[in-house]
Amino acid sequence: MTQLADQPHFIDGAARQPTADRWFTTLNPATGAPLARAARGDAADVDAAVAAASQACEAWAAMTGAERGRILTRAAHILRERNDEIARLETLDTGKPIAESSVVDVASAADCLEYFGGVAGSIAGQQVDLGPNAFGYVRREPLGVCAGIGAWNYPIQIAAWKAAPALACGNTMVFKPSEMTPVTAGILAEIFIDAGLPPGVFNVVQGDREAGQALVAHPGVAKVSLTGEVGTGRKIMAAAAETLKHVTMELGGKSPLIIFADADLDNAVSAAMMANFYTQGEVCSNGTRVFVARDLLDRFVEALAARTAKLKIGDPLDPETHVGALISEEHRDRVLGFIDQGVTEGARLVIGGRRAAGLDGWFVEPAIFVAEDDGLTISRDEIFGPVMTILPFDDEDEVLARANATEFGLAAGVFTSDLARAHRTVRRLQAGVCWINNYNITPIELPFGGVKQSGLGRENGTAAIEHYTQLKTVYVELGDVDCPYPA
Ligand code: NAD
């Protein structure tokens, strides 16, 4: 049994015990055994963290972008050096396969720090010519203290995706990881200090909704960036409105993946698997509604089922494992409940969908349904588990209407060998991120985020800079003041 060290807060450059000495214990999803004790933050802890972040603001913002960028780049190098150790902790904390965390999670966090380390020196305003006697300039300034609130599916990646652009722009941050996965945020904070980040620029408050609510309500916080469920997003936006905070919302989805009859079958099957079974299906952008051209349906389902049957479910620390454990017993039961509902409501279960036999943790066999009805619960709701619903279609207009018939709009994918159709379809899809002939690829250079109820704002790419800065307009007079009043 692996029991990790306590996870306190990290405030003003050092670990900090919770003011009220309240703690909670997380469980290892793969075994159900206790994993780590984490501080249960409250308003007093949030006050301390916001005070440290406010104190650090002026000096951090006064550094040049290149100086800030150098520190972020150093942090990226340290993250990469510590990849294997952090990947192991991430796997223990989340239940996801080490085969993923060792090549994706830490690497994606490092990519982000490196990218914004490079971008920091070129963040700039604008100069506007107003004739010979005046000009204007627009300063791009940091917002101040930003709050980051994370989900549990990609803990270190989410922390880095929020911290890197915020810090590059000269803001400071208080980050609250999900109470389900408290283990790696403190390591990121330590790495920042090792990289030369001044104390107080990046702080971590552990805890659950109580700490999150205190952060969102805090008058010293200028912006909240959330990764979480749509319902949480609504509550946080409403609470942030009390003090008119900026918000970025990275929320849930029920994204469509459309496979036309002329698609490359092997690639389409690979993408559908990646779009549903990676991290046990606990990925916000997953393409869980797989629309397949009726002509291709039988061949597609056969190939998909044959490959899905080969997936190895089990110990996430085993490098051979493809499918790990769901985050909690409650979530496992919720996912199994959706699968039962799919069967009851008349969808055809092709493969999987049971509790994985002989394992103590919260494992579910990847499930594939074929359904004719877009109105079924499994066709409509975000399940956030390894459950794919295949929905046959007959023509392009029909499939686009069905793909867009959802309140979500995070992502979408199209598989076809017809170039014109690919771009025509993407143009009509209501989604923040689209993939043509691939799925779930999120390079740091490209903006990521949703439309409709999947979110507001963007992470990654230079677009993120817009969401972590504000503009100051300056008019400069070079001549006399033109005044209509008598001298
Ligand atoms: P969640 O909404 O339950 O929790 C997210 C975070 O919000 C946690 O840290 C939680 O403590 C905090 N929180 C909850 N209520 C709060 C409140 N009222 N005020 C302040 N903070 C509060 O989400 P989750 O279960 O951790 O994550 C799964 C969800 O996240 C899924 O819906 C998934 O689609 C979404 N997600 C989205 C993205 C994206 O980038 N779009 C990425 C990953 C996950």
Side-chain angles (χ1 to χ4, degrees):
M1 190 177 80
T2 312
Q3 178 97 36
L4 303 177
D6 282 354
Q7 305 295 319
H9 307 308
F10 193 98
I11 297 174
D12 208 11
R16 172 96 57 113
Q17 302 305 304
T19 313
D21 197 26
R22 297 189 312 162
W23 298 82
F24 63 97
T25 299
T26 62
L27 305 178
N28 179 341
T31 60
L35 182 67
R37 208 170 68 118
R40 190 184 291 279
D42 59 14
D45 300 315
V46 166
D47 269 345
V50 174
S54 305
Q55 182 81 34
C57 257
E58 196 176 331
W60 179 243
M63 285 168 70
T64 66
E67 286 169 332
R68 290 195 297 268
R70 206 172 299 139
I71 293 171
L72 296 181
T73 308
R74 266 203 296 269
H77 293 325
I78 303 174
L79 254 182
R80 286 196 208 287
E81 279 161 19
R82 294 181 64 178
N83 180 76
D84 294 354
E85 164 211 350
I86 299 171
R88 181 175 165 275
L89 292 172
E90 201 74 325
T91 282
L92 288 168
D93 213 13
T94 60
K96 71 170 67 196
I98 191 87
E100 296 182 17
S101 56
S102 62
V103 298
V104 169
D105 295 59
V106 187
S108 166
D111 285 354
C112 186
L113 290 165
E114 210 160 44
Y115 176 79
F116 285 104
V119 163
S122 19
I123 296 170
Q126 191 187 16
Q127 191 269 345
V128 181
D129 184 18
L130 298 171
N133 289 326
F135 70 97
Y137 64 97
V138 183
R139 289 175 48 79
R140 188 170 280 286
E141 298 186 339
L143 300 170
V145 178
C146 297
I149 301 181
W152 42 258
N153 58 340
Y154 279 84
I156 191 124
Q157 185 203 72
I158 291 171
W161 280 21
K162 297 193 187 305
L167 269 44
C169 293
N171 303 284
T172 60
M173 175 160 271
V174 179
F175 183 77
K176 190 198 86 63
S178 165
E179 59 273 34
M180 311 297 290
T181 52
V183 172
T184 48
I187 296 180
L188 181 63
E190 273 170 28
I191 288 176
F192 273 137
I193 295 294
D194 291 346
L197 195 77
V201 173
F202 181 78
N203 309 274
V204 175
V205 171
Q206 300 282 3
D208 54 20
R209 183 169 41 192
E210 180 186 346
Q213 284 170 326
L215 260 177
V216 176
H218 202 291
V221 171
K223 175 187 173 112
V224 181
S225 175
L226 166 75
T227 297
E229 286 180 1
V230 173
T232 309
R234 282 194 201 107
K235 286 185 198 133
I236 290 185
M237 249 182 107
E242 289 294 318
T243 39
L244 277 178
K245 290 178 174 47
H246 298 253
V247 291
T248 289
M249 296 280 155
E250 292 290 354
L251 308 177
K254 187 77 185 175
S255 299
L257 166 57
I258 303 174
I259 297 167
F260 286 99
D262 61 356
D264 178 293
L265 182 67
D266 290 343
N267 281 329
V269 168
S270 294
M273 292 174 78
M274 298 286 289
N276 280 274
F277 303 146
Y278 214 69
T279 300
Q280 311 80 236
E282 296 165 328
V283 179
C284 54
S285 50
N286 269 358
T288 45
R289 292 183 295 144
V290 182
F291 291 96
V292 179
R294 210 174 286 280
D295 292 349
L296 193 65
L297 185 68
D298 291 347
R299 283 196 293 140
F300 182 83
V301 172
E302 191 187 332
L304 179 68
R307 284 180 62 184
T308 302
K310 291 185 200 155
L311 295 183
K312 187 162 180 253
I313 309 170
D315 179 5
L317 286 173
D318 178 347
E320 303 292 313
T321 293
H322 300 115
V323 182
L326 293 172
I327 191 70
S328 67
E329 186 170 15
E330 188 193 359
H331 186 54
R332 191 265 326 264
D333 290 345
R334 204 169 155 263
V335 170
L336 289 172
F338 274 115
I339 293 168
D340 282 349
Q341 221 169 340
V343 173
T344 315
E345 292 180 11
R348 175 164 69 90
L349 182 59
V350 177
I351 191 173
R354 291 169 305 190
R355 282 181 64 165
L359 296 166
D360 290 334
W362 304 306
F363 296 87
V364 172
E365 295 170 347
I368 300 171
F369 280 101
V370 177
E372 287 287 341
D373 185 352
D374 297 358
L376 302 187
T377 310
I378 55 163
S379 323
R380 270 196 342 254
D381 289 7
E382 182 182 46
I383 299 174
F384 224 56
V387 184
M388 178 192 315
T389 304
I390 296 175
L391 300 156
F393 73 90
D394 296 299
D395 74 59
E396 190 178 310
D397 282 342
E398 169 218 325
V399 75
L400 280 168
R402 291 168 63 191
N404 287 335
T406 166
E407 74 266 25
F408 300 114
L410 185 54
V414 180
F415 267 78
T416 177
S417 52
D418 178 340
L419 199 63
R421 170 153 60 196
H423 295 292
R424 186 169 70 225
T425 316
V426 157
R427 186 171 183 274
R428 292 173 65 190
L429 281 166
Q430 296 166 358
V433 183
C434 293
W435 293 281
I436 295 174
N437 291 335
N438 210 330
Y439 203 88
N440 264 351
I441 308 294
T442 54
I444 220 70
E445 296 87 343
L446 290 176
F448 184 84
V451 300
K452 294 159 85 177
Q453 294 197 30
S454 287
L456 290 171
R458 289 293 178 270
E459 296 193 309
N460 300 344
T462 49
I465 302 299
E466 307 281 334
H467 301 284
Y468 280 106
T469 52
Q470 57 196 343
L471 302 180
K472 179 183 282 168
T473 300
V474 184
Y475 176 94
V476 184
E477 182 60 63
L478 302 178
D480 293 327
V481 174
D482 183 12
C483 179
Y485 305 131

